[in-house]
Amino acid sequence: MKNNPLLTCLLLVGGITLLSFTTAWWVPVIWVILVSSMSPINLKFNILVGALAYGVVWLCMAMWMQQKDDANIIVKTGELLGGLSLITLLGITFCIGAFTGALSAWFGTMLGRLMERRA
Amino acid sequence: MKRIMLPAVLLAGWLVFLSIDIPVEENFLPALGRFVSPFEGIWQNAVPRSTKSNFTAAIKGRVHILFDERDVPHIYAENLEDALYAQGFLHASNRLFAMDISTRAASGRLSEIIGPRTIAHDHTQREKGFEWSAIQKAKRWQSFKENQDLIDAYVRGVNDYITTLAYKDWPLEYKILSHGPVTWTSTHTSLMLTNMAIMLCLAEQDLTYTKAKSLLPSDVFEFLYPESNPLESPVIPSEKKWDFIPVVPTSIRSGQVKEKIKTNITDEISQDRNGSNNWAISADKTANGFPLLANDPHLGLTLPNIWYEMEIHTPEMSVHGVSIPGLPFMVIGFNEHIAWGTTNSGQDVLDWYKITWRDSTRKEYLLDGKYQKAILQTEEIKIRGQKAIIDTVRYTHWGPVRSIGDHKDMAMKWVGHIRAEENDVAYLQKINKANNLADYREAIEAFQYPAQNKIFASVDGDIAISVAGVMPLRSSEAGHYIMDGNSTLNDWQGIIPFTHAPFIVNPKRKFVSSANQAPTDRTYPYALKGGRIFEDYRGRTLNMILDTIENVTVEDMKQIQQNNYNLHAAEILPVMLATVKNNNCLKEEERIYAATLEGWNYAQHRDSIAPILFELWFNEFEKMTFDELDSLDVMHPEKWRISEMIIDSSENIFFDVVSTVDKNETFEDIACKSFSYMVKTFLALDGEDRKNWGSFKATEIPHLARFAPFGIPYMHTSGGKHILNAMGKTHGPSWRMIVELSSPPKAYVNYPGGQSGDPASPHYHDLLDQFFEGKYYEVSLRKNPEGWNPAREMIIQPK
């Protein structure tokens, strides 16, 4: 996995998706930390992949739900929350996911390096 | 090690930030992590919530639920307890948030989830002792074992649904408020009953009239505010003979407090918005020889609607009607043998007593010459985002003591607080299962709440109406104004015995009816308070129609429910128009408006302009006439009294405008002046507002929690105040039902809303447009579940 960025990406996306469907919103954070800690070579790469994986999974799911929103519930909720548009809500969802993924990957990578040094 | 600290702290901080609610001015932004997570948060609410279609529960037999095309559930259960379990489950799965917010509003617990904005409301509700009274009632229910088992089954159904909910399944409103559902109890059910009593029967005008009486000379007061309308057509027709010996109140004191009352007081609830109607027509008067019954209770309209339509089949009963989520059984409906409905009687069942405290600690109060200890109840008002407020409510012989304006010593005596002699659910159980007139009367006897007009018709051919509920026995002098709380001689003298309460069966006129007007004429031997609350026009309109109509059909009944005839306008407008014409005071450009009013048929139709002109003109006329009262901040006389004053005599001092010292205005002057003013006001209206009555009135159906985007901002509707179709801005017919008592009975129903409380559901407001177009759905009892194709179904198996 250390030398296989594609595998890292797949593991992150797959794990985040699976855990997001089955557990609380913050549980995939642990998965990102775990995966990042196992390939701690490239910090920038890990942060980027962590952010994108978390952000894209959230964004795709949000867009999928929005496709099924026949009653415009999301648009109406945005109105209620001070006039936020659908695009803004999608953007907020992506950013929160991405920032969570990035911080988790950063922490995971540093944790992996620490463990390697200790080992 | 140091290099890991920064991401660790940032990640931990970020996760904490995403997990807490963020205060924004007086509101709260929900914890963003779960709220925006597309796997759990608001995105999940984009699709309608679904419930399992097959599951097990702690019930005795199998329950099969079939849903029709309007998503109305038909419950088939092997026993009543299981049926009520299913009812509780369905109520919760469709209206959980509505049930929660309604009981919170009644008990004064809104601030727990909303924040400081609702502290004043909560404080008032606690002071009125609604939760205290609901708790006492729920405790007392436990002594009625049979009813309690039924309530427990219902409560279990609600809670079994709640336990299925993870955060992602929460109704949208809970996610926005970031507060989850709470466990349902009997006390919540008791609070729902209290909430209904508050909505329907907390109106009184004792404070307002006390103020008017203290500021106006007594002859003026009597002139402006007579106790009853001589033209009124009461619920019980005058043919009824009161063949009993009435219980005479032992005290005939007025009980009115003698000392000067400060005048910064007003009643909190007026009856202005009510408009329910019900009537039943004997088989002799209908086209096909079956009795007909109609009911259209008018309430505040919201999404979701207050009612939830359903049908229940058990070995002991088959019933279709509307229920109130939070309560077991149907509140209005029909079964195989009878149909029943209800309107508010509008009686004044709340009195205020002025308390004399021993000292400033307000722990002891004077009663019959001795100081009695008040019960001090500590109330903790929890406030979201703030420290809780600890308050003390004082309970006296009369009831809880309230602060009103500068008065901190007013005790509230209300029928809704009186201890029930039966389980409150007994009435619902009995009426749902009733087979005939005798069963109906037995059910009415069990009704323990402020008075309502309970209408009845049966396949046996009987029709009846009863003024049911708890009616205080008071002297004719007592109960109008603030009373002296120092003496129990001023107390209610018990309640009017059930057998003496007004009711009539199969009257000569071949119909029974009510529209919130006075229950009886002046021959009734008990004093029923509320003369100034009762409706004055709809009852007369309804009885005029029913008196003259013959060979009545279901279509006629539909037309009556949607009748827009404005009797108030019909009586007063010709006089006012003749006056301005005879005085020749209209300018050329104003004549077109007079012509519009002359051509009006008094139908308050949504596409008509004349109702706008009449409303603007009469309002301005009233304002100009009673400028003296406005300067004292005293209420105006009732509409019928104003009409009577004009028709009887156009000479009275009130037509003189106080601000014009050099002139004594007459009725003619005021009519002309207010007409000109009306034209100016009309022309100044926004173009859309003056298009027609519907756009002027601008009916809206708000979301229950006032989340604007989830309400309907505009509905083009007819009707209005004093009209059978009493459709106001946010208040109107909440359920329309017409039952033909054939065997088996058939009904025609509709209501403004939909079955689901979930804004994403196609059944959130799917009935709304059809309702305002005057459409009805035909329903009949579907006793055999195999005999029809449901839109969906649910099976609950015993564990």
mmCIF file of all heavy atoms in Angstrom, chain B residues 275-312:
data_model
loop_
_atom_site.group_PDB
_atom_site.id
_atom_site.type_symbol
_atom_site.label_atom_id
_atom_site.label_comp_id
_atom_site.label_asym_id
_atom_site.label_seq_id
_atom_site.Cartn_x
_atom_site.Cartn_y
_atom_site.Cartn_z
ATOM 1 N N GLY B 275 -65.158 29.437 13.900
ATOM 2 C CA GLY B 275 -66.190 29.400 12.876
ATOM 3 C C GLY B 275 -66.708 28.017 12.583
ATOM 4 O O GLY B 275 -67.068 27.734 11.448
ATOM 5 N N SER B 276 -66.740 27.154 13.554
ATOM 6 C CA SER B 276 -67.168 25.768 13.290
ATOM 7 C C SER B 276 -68.685 25.680 13.110
ATOM 8 O O SER B 276 -69.431 26.433 13.726
ATOM 9 C CB SER B 276 -66.750 24.875 14.450
ATOM 10 O OG SER B 276 -65.384 25.047 14.716
ATOM 11 N N ASN B 277 -69.100 24.749 12.265
ATOM 12 C CA ASN B 277 -70.531 24.501 12.057
ATOM 13 C C ASN B 277 -70.787 23.002 12.134
ATOM 14 O O ASN B 277 -69.933 22.205 11.739
ATOM 15 C CB ASN B 277 -70.973 24.939 10.656
ATOM 16 C CG ASN B 277 -70.428 26.305 10.269
ATOM 17 O OD1 ASN B 277 -70.665 27.285 10.972
ATOM 18 N ND2 ASN B 277 -69.692 26.388 9.182
ATOM 19 N N ASN B 278 -71.946 22.622 12.627
ATOM 20 C CA ASN B 278 -72.409 21.250 12.435
ATOM 21 C C ASN B 278 -73.932 21.247 12.390
ATOM 22 O O ASN B 278 -74.581 22.140 12.942
ATOM 23 C CB ASN B 278 -71.837 20.281 13.485
ATOM 24 C CG ASN B 278 -72.243 20.583 14.906
ATOM 25 O OD1 ASN B 278 -73.209 21.297 15.146
ATOM 26 N ND2 ASN B 278 -71.511 20.054 15.873
ATOM 27 N N TRP B 279 -74.467 20.304 11.672
ATOM 28 C CA TRP B 279 -75.912 20.174 11.634
ATOM 29 C C TRP B 279 -76.270 18.757 11.188
ATOM 30 O O TRP B 279 -75.439 18.049 10.602
ATOM 31 C CB TRP B 279 -76.556 21.219 10.713
ATOM 32 C CG TRP B 279 -76.246 21.114 9.260
ATOM 33 C CD1 TRP B 279 -76.971 20.470 8.316
ATOM 34 C CD2 TRP B 279 -75.127 21.689 8.561
ATOM 35 N NE1 TRP B 279 -76.381 20.603 7.075
ATOM 36 C CE2 TRP B 279 -75.251 21.341 7.198
ATOM 37 C CE3 TRP B 279 -74.032 22.465 8.952
ATOM 38 C CZ2 TRP B 279 -74.330 21.739 6.232
ATOM 39 C CZ3 TRP B 279 -73.112 22.853 7.994
ATOM 40 C CH2 TRP B 279 -73.266 22.496 6.649
ATOM 41 N N ALA B 280 -77.463 18.350 11.534
ATOM 42 C CA ALA B 280 -77.962 17.046 11.098
ATOM 43 C C ALA B 280 -79.411 17.239 10.662
ATOM 44 O O ALA B 280 -80.150 18.024 11.269
ATOM 45 C CB ALA B 280 -77.881 16.029 12.224
ATOM 46 N N ILE B 281 -79.789 16.559 9.610
ATOM 47 C CA ILE B 281 -81.125 16.731 9.033
ATOM 48 C C ILE B 281 -81.866 15.402 9.107
ATOM 49 O O ILE B 281 -81.314 14.342 8.761
ATOM 50 C CB ILE B 281 -81.021 17.225 7.577
ATOM 51 C CG1 ILE B 281 -80.308 18.589 7.579
ATOM 52 C CG2 ILE B 281 -82.386 17.328 6.933
ATOM 53 C CD1 ILE B 281 -80.114 19.199 6.238
ATOM 54 N N SER B 282 -83.088 15.489 9.558
ATOM 55 C CA SER B 282 -83.910 14.295 9.722
ATOM 56 C C SER B 282 -84.227 13.652 8.361
ATOM 57 O O SER B 282 -84.256 14.338 7.328
ATOM 58 C CB SER B 282 -85.190 14.725 10.447
ATOM 59 O OG SER B 282 -86.264 13.995 10.005
ATOM 60 N N ALA B 283 -84.479 12.353 8.382
ATOM 61 C CA ALA B 283 -84.767 11.614 7.148
ATOM 62 C C ALA B 283 -85.971 12.195 6.401
ATOM 63 O O ALA B 283 -86.032 12.157 5.168
ATOM 64 C CB ALA B 283 -85.018 10.147 7.487
ATOM 65 N N ASP B 284 -86.937 12.790 7.156
ATOM 66 C CA ASP B 284 -88.139 13.363 6.521
ATOM 67 C C ASP B 284 -87.822 14.549 5.623
ATOM 68 O O ASP B 284 -88.640 14.965 4.810
ATOM 69 C CB ASP B 284 -89.120 13.876 7.597
ATOM 70 C CG ASP B 284 -89.574 12.760 8.504
ATOM 71 O OD1 ASP B 284 -89.448 11.600 8.086
ATOM 72 O OD2 ASP B 284 -90.038 13.056 9.622
ATOM 73 N N LYS B 285 -86.653 15.113 5.806
ATOM 74 C CA LYS B 285 -86.336 16.361 5.114
ATOM 75 C C LYS B 285 -85.277 16.137 4.021
ATOM 76 O O LYS B 285 -84.840 17.087 3.381
ATOM 77 C CB LYS B 285 -85.820 17.358 6.170
ATOM 78 C CG LYS B 285 -86.024 18.835 5.873
ATOM 79 C CD LYS B 285 -85.574 19.646 7.087
ATOM 80 C CE LYS B 285 -85.260 21.084 6.796
ATOM 81 N NZ LYS B 285 -86.381 21.940 6.474
ATOM 82 N N THR B 286 -84.832 14.892 3.856
ATOM 83 C CA THR B 286 -83.785 14.639 2.855
ATOM 84 C C THR B 286 -84.387 13.966 1.622
ATOM 85 O O THR B 286 -85.441 13.331 1.692
ATOM 86 C CB THR B 286 -82.660 13.743 3.417
ATOM 87 O OG1 THR B 286 -83.212 12.469 3.754
ATOM 88 C CG2 THR B 286 -82.019 14.363 4.633
ATOM 89 N N ALA B 287 -83.673 14.096 0.513
ATOM 90 C CA ALA B 287 -84.204 13.609 -0.759
ATOM 91 C C ALA B 287 -84.311 12.086 -0.792
ATOM 92 O O ALA B 287 -85.273 11.540 -1.324
ATOM 93 C CB ALA B 287 -83.324 14.100 -1.902
ATOM 94 N N ASN B 288 -83.330 11.391 -0.216
ATOM 95 C CA ASN B 288 -83.360 9.931 -0.343
ATOM 96 C C ASN B 288 -83.812 9.224 0.938
ATOM 97 O O ASN B 288 -83.684 8.008 1.059
ATOM 98 C CB ASN B 288 -81.996 9.399 -0.802
ATOM 99 C CG ASN B 288 -80.899 9.733 0.187
ATOM 100 O OD1 ASN B 288 -81.169 10.249 1.269
ATOM 101 N ND2 ASN B 288 -79.670 9.446 -0.186
ATOM 102 N N GLY B 289 -84.309 9.991 1.903
ATOM 103 C CA GLY B 289 -84.908 9.395 3.086
ATOM 104 C C GLY B 289 -83.934 8.892 4.133
ATOM 105 O O GLY B 289 -84.324 8.151 5.034
ATOM 106 N N PHE B 290 -82.663 9.300 4.042
ATOM 107 C CA PHE B 290 -81.690 8.968 5.083
ATOM 108 C C PHE B 290 -81.302 10.253 5.817
ATOM 109 O O PHE B 290 -81.162 11.296 5.184
ATOM 110 C CB PHE B 290 -80.422 8.360 4.485
ATOM 111 C CG PHE B 290 -80.650 7.065 3.761
ATOM 112 C CD1 PHE B 290 -80.411 6.969 2.393
ATOM 113 C CD2 PHE B 290 -81.097 5.943 4.441
ATOM 114 C CE1 PHE B 290 -80.622 5.776 1.725
ATOM 115 C CE2 PHE B 290 -81.297 4.739 3.780
ATOM 116 C CZ PHE B 290 -81.063 4.659 2.407
ATOM 117 N N PRO B 291 -81.095 10.172 7.129
ATOM 118 C CA PRO B 291 -80.587 11.364 7.819
ATOM 119 C C PRO B 291 -79.219 11.766 7.249
ATOM 120 O O PRO B 291 -78.470 10.908 6.785
ATOM 121 C CB PRO B 291 -80.439 10.901 9.273
ATOM 122 C CG PRO B 291 -81.284 9.683 9.396
ATOM 123 C CD PRO B 291 -81.284 9.043 8.045
ATOM 124 N N LEU B 292 -78.940 13.055 7.309
ATOM 125 C CA LEU B 292 -77.638 13.562 6.865
ATOM 126 C C LEU B 292 -77.001 14.336 8.009
ATOM 127 O O LEU B 292 -77.715 15.034 8.743
ATOM 128 C CB LEU B 292 -77.796 14.488 5.660
ATOM 129 C CG LEU B 292 -78.209 13.853 4.324
ATOM 130 C CD1 LEU B 292 -78.590 14.947 3.327
ATOM 131 C CD2 LEU B 292 -77.069 13.004 3.762
ATOM 132 N N LEU B 293 -75.690 14.221 8.148
ATOM 133 C CA LEU B 293 -74.978 14.966 9.206
ATOM 134 C C LEU B 293 -73.767 15.643 8.577
ATOM 135 O O LEU B 293 -73.083 15.052 7.736
ATOM 136 C CB LEU B 293 -74.537 14.010 10.316
ATOM 137 C CG LEU B 293 -73.743 14.630 11.479
ATOM 138 C CD1 LEU B 293 -74.130 13.973 12.807
ATOM 139 C CD2 LEU B 293 -72.230 14.511 11.287
ATOM 140 N N ALA B 294 -73.531 16.886 8.974
ATOM 141 C CA ALA B 294 -72.360 17.614 8.463
ATOM 142 C C ALA B 294 -71.604 18.257 9.613
ATOM 143 O O ALA B 294 -72.200 18.652 10.614
ATOM 144 C CB ALA B 294 -72.816 18.700 7.486
ATOM 145 N N ASN B 295 -70.298 18.328 9.463
ATOM 146 C CA ASN B 295 -69.469 19.007 10.466
ATOM 147 C C ASN B 295 -68.239 19.588 9.778
ATOM 148 O O ASN B 295 -67.620 18.928 8.959
ATOM 149 C CB ASN B 295 -69.034 18.001 11.541
ATOM 150 C CG ASN B 295 -68.346 18.641 12.753
ATOM 151 O OD1 ASN B 295 -67.722 17.941 13.531
ATOM 152 N ND2 ASN B 295 -68.475 19.940 12.935
ATOM 153 N N ASP B 296 -67.947 20.852 10.057
ATOM 154 C CA ASP B 296 -66.699 21.448 9.565
ATOM 155 C C ASP B 296 -66.083 22.319 10.653
ATOM 156 O O ASP B 296 -66.290 23.524 10.684
ATOM 157 C CB ASP B 296 -66.911 22.208 8.248
ATOM 158 C CG ASP B 296 -68.008 23.243 8.302
ATOM 159 O OD1 ASP B 296 -68.876 23.153 9.189
ATOM 160 O OD2 ASP B 296 -67.999 24.166 7.463
ATOM 161 N N PRO B 297 -65.329 21.694 11.550
ATOM 162 C CA PRO B 297 -64.678 22.464 12.614
ATOM 163 C C PRO B 297 -63.639 23.423 12.033
ATOM 164 O O PRO B 297 -62.853 23.036 11.177
ATOM 165 C CB PRO B 297 -63.997 21.387 13.471
ATOM 166 C CG PRO B 297 -63.835 20.214 12.572
ATOM 167 C CD PRO B 297 -64.969 20.268 11.597
ATOM 168 N N HIS B 298 -63.696 24.670 12.469
ATOM 169 C CA HIS B 298 -62.748 25.672 11.983
ATOM 170 C C HIS B 298 -61.667 25.882 13.049
ATOM 171 O O HIS B 298 -61.976 26.146 14.208
ATOM 172 C CB HIS B 298 -63.452 26.999 11.713
ATOM 173 C CG HIS B 298 -64.324 26.984 10.497
ATOM 174 N ND1 HIS B 298 -65.261 26.014 10.261
ATOM 175 C CD2 HIS B 298 -64.400 27.840 9.440
ATOM 176 C CE1 HIS B 298 -65.879 26.277 9.110
ATOM 177 N NE2 HIS B 298 -65.375 27.379 8.592
ATOM 178 N N LEU B 299 -60.438 25.776 12.612
ATOM 179 C CA LEU B 299 -59.303 25.931 13.533
ATOM 180 C C LEU B 299 -58.191 26.668 12.806
ATOM 181 O O LEU B 299 -58.311 26.961 11.617
ATOM 182 C CB LEU B 299 -58.793 24.541 13.960
ATOM 183 C CG LEU B 299 -59.735 23.688 14.816
ATOM 184 C CD1 LEU B 299 -59.243 22.260 14.881
ATOM 185 C CD2 LEU B 299 -59.857 24.272 16.219
ATOM 186 N N GLY B 300 -57.098 26.954 13.530
ATOM 187 C CA GLY B 300 -55.917 27.511 12.878
ATOM 188 C C GLY B 300 -55.418 26.487 11.867
ATOM 189 O O GLY B 300 -55.302 25.311 12.196
ATOM 190 N N LEU B 301 -55.178 26.946 10.626
ATOM 191 C CA LEU B 301 -54.729 25.997 9.602
ATOM 192 C C LEU B 301 -53.210 25.982 9.540
ATOM 193 O O LEU B 301 -52.573 27.032 9.503
ATOM 194 C CB LEU B 301 -55.295 26.388 8.231
ATOM 195 C CG LEU B 301 -56.820 26.409 8.138
ATOM 196 C CD1 LEU B 301 -57.255 26.757 6.722
ATOM 197 C CD2 LEU B 301 -57.427 25.086 8.573
ATOM 198 N N THR B 302 -52.672 24.776 9.560
ATOM 199 C CA THR B 302 -51.219 24.627 9.486
ATOM 200 C C THR B 302 -50.882 23.420 8.630
ATOM 201 O O THR B 302 -51.731 22.603 8.327
ATOM 202 C CB THR B 302 -50.603 24.379 10.887
ATOM 203 O OG1 THR B 302 -51.230 23.227 11.456
ATOM 204 C CG2 THR B 302 -50.758 25.565 11.804
ATOM 205 N N LEU B 303 -49.614 23.348 8.253
ATOM 206 C CA LEU B 303 -49.083 22.125 7.649
ATOM 207 C C LEU B 303 -48.083 21.537 8.634
ATOM 208 O O LEU B 303 -47.181 22.249 9.051
ATOM 209 C CB LEU B 303 -48.404 22.424 6.319
ATOM 210 C CG LEU B 303 -49.331 22.748 5.151
ATOM 211 C CD1 LEU B 303 -48.528 23.105 3.914
ATOM 212 C CD2 LEU B 303 -50.277 21.587 4.852
ATOM 213 N N PRO B 304 -48.220 20.294 9.028
ATOM 214 C CA PRO B 304 -49.341 19.432 8.699
ATOM 215 C C PRO B 304 -50.618 19.890 9.379
ATOM 216 O O PRO B 304 -50.582 20.630 10.362
ATOM 217 C CB PRO B 304 -48.905 18.069 9.235
ATOM 218 C CG PRO B 304 -47.960 18.382 10.340
ATOM 219 C CD PRO B 304 -47.257 19.637 9.931
ATOM 220 N N ASN B 305 -51.736 19.416 8.855
ATOM 221 C CA ASN B 305 -53.045 19.727 9.423
ATOM 222 C C ASN B 305 -53.163 19.107 10.811
ATOM 223 O O ASN B 305 -52.477 18.146 11.129
ATOM 224 C CB ASN B 305 -54.113 19.131 8.494
ATOM 225 C CG ASN B 305 -55.521 19.561 8.860
ATOM 226 O OD1 ASN B 305 -56.089 19.088 9.827
ATOM 227 N ND2 ASN B 305 -56.081 20.466 8.089
ATOM 228 N N ILE B 306 -54.046 19.659 11.624
ATOM 229 C CA ILE B 306 -54.216 19.129 12.983
ATOM 230 C C ILE B 306 -54.793 17.706 12.961
ATOM 231 O O ILE B 306 -54.528 16.905 13.852
ATOM 232 C CB ILE B 306 -55.109 20.072 13.816
ATOM 233 C CG1 ILE B 306 -55.126 19.638 15.281
ATOM 234 C CG2 ILE B 306 -56.514 20.171 13.254
ATOM 235 C CD1 ILE B 306 -55.770 20.616 16.215
ATOM 236 N N TRP B 307 -55.567 17.378 11.911
ATOM 237 C CA TRP B 307 -56.261 16.075 11.886
ATOM 238 C C TRP B 307 -55.461 15.024 11.140
ATOM 239 O O TRP B 307 -54.714 15.340 10.225
ATOM 240 C CB TRP B 307 -57.632 16.219 11.199
ATOM 241 C CG TRP B 307 -58.536 17.245 11.802
ATOM 242 C CD1 TRP B 307 -58.876 18.447 11.257
ATOM 243 C CD2 TRP B 307 -59.217 17.181 13.063
ATOM 244 N NE1 TRP B 307 -59.730 19.130 12.097
ATOM 245 C CE2 TRP B 307 -59.960 18.359 13.206
ATOM 246 C CE3 TRP B 307 -59.272 16.226 14.079
ATOM 247 C CZ2 TRP B 307 -60.741 18.645 14.318
ATOM 248 C CZ3 TRP B 307 -60.050 16.493 15.192
ATOM 249 C CH2 TRP B 307 -60.772 17.685 15.303
ATOM 250 N N TYR B 308 -55.707 13.766 11.508
ATOM 251 C CA TYR B 308 -55.152 12.627 10.782
ATOM 252 C C TYR B 308 -56.319 11.669 10.536
ATOM 253 O O TYR B 308 -56.904 11.147 11.481
ATOM 254 C CB TYR B 308 -54.048 11.967 11.604
ATOM 255 C CG TYR B 308 -53.371 10.808 10.909
ATOM 256 C CD1 TYR B 308 -52.513 11.036 9.839
ATOM 257 C CD2 TYR B 308 -53.596 9.501 11.316
ATOM 258 C CE1 TYR B 308 -51.901 9.979 9.189
ATOM 259 C CE2 TYR B 308 -52.978 8.439 10.672
ATOM 260 C CZ TYR B 308 -52.126 8.686 9.605
ATOM 261 O OH TYR B 308 -51.519 7.636 8.966
ATOM 262 N N GLU B 309 -56.641 11.481 9.252
ATOM 263 C CA GLU B 309 -57.808 10.655 8.916
ATOM 264 C C GLU B 309 -57.445 9.179 8.990
ATOM 265 O O GLU B 309 -56.333 8.790 8.616
ATOM 266 C CB GLU B 309 -58.272 11.007 7.498
ATOM 267 C CG GLU B 309 -59.583 10.357 7.116
ATOM 268 C CD GLU B 309 -60.025 10.734 5.698
ATOM 269 O OE1 GLU B 309 -59.480 11.700 5.133
ATOM 270 O OE2 GLU B 309 -60.917 10.034 5.169
ATOM 271 N N MET B 310 -58.333 8.368 9.480
ATOM 272 C CA MET B 310 -58.074 6.925 9.527
ATOM 273 C C MET B 310 -59.350 6.122 9.712
ATOM 274 O O MET B 310 -60.427 6.681 9.945
ATOM 275 C CB MET B 310 -57.036 6.584 10.601
ATOM 276 C CG MET B 310 -57.368 6.968 11.995
ATOM 277 S SD MET B 310 -55.890 7.039 13.077
ATOM 278 C CE MET B 310 -54.977 5.597 12.617
ATOM 279 N N GLU B 311 -59.203 4.820 9.592
ATOM 280 C CA GLU B 311 -60.331 3.909 9.779
ATOM 281 C C GLU B 311 -59.834 2.763 10.654
ATOM 282 O O GLU B 311 -58.717 2.275 10.454
ATOM 283 C CB GLU B 311 -60.788 3.403 8.408
ATOM 284 C CG GLU B 311 -62.021 2.543 8.456
ATOM 285 C CD GLU B 311 -62.624 2.352 7.056
ATOM 286 O OE1 GLU B 311 -62.866 3.352 6.358
ATOM 287 O OE2 GLU B 311 -62.844 1.187 6.670
ATOM 288 N N ILE B 312 -60.645 2.353 11.623
ATOM 289 C CA ILE B 312 -60.243 1.270 12.530
ATOM 290 C C ILE B 312 -61.322 0.189 12.520
ATOM 291 O O ILE B 312 -62.511 0.493 12.662
ATOM 292 C CB ILE B 312 -60.043 1.796 13.974
ATOM 293 C CG1 ILE B 312 -58.885 2.798 14.026
ATOM 294 C CG2 ILE B 312 -59.774 0.639 14.940
ATOM 295 C CD1 ILE B 312 -58.655 3.417 15.404
#
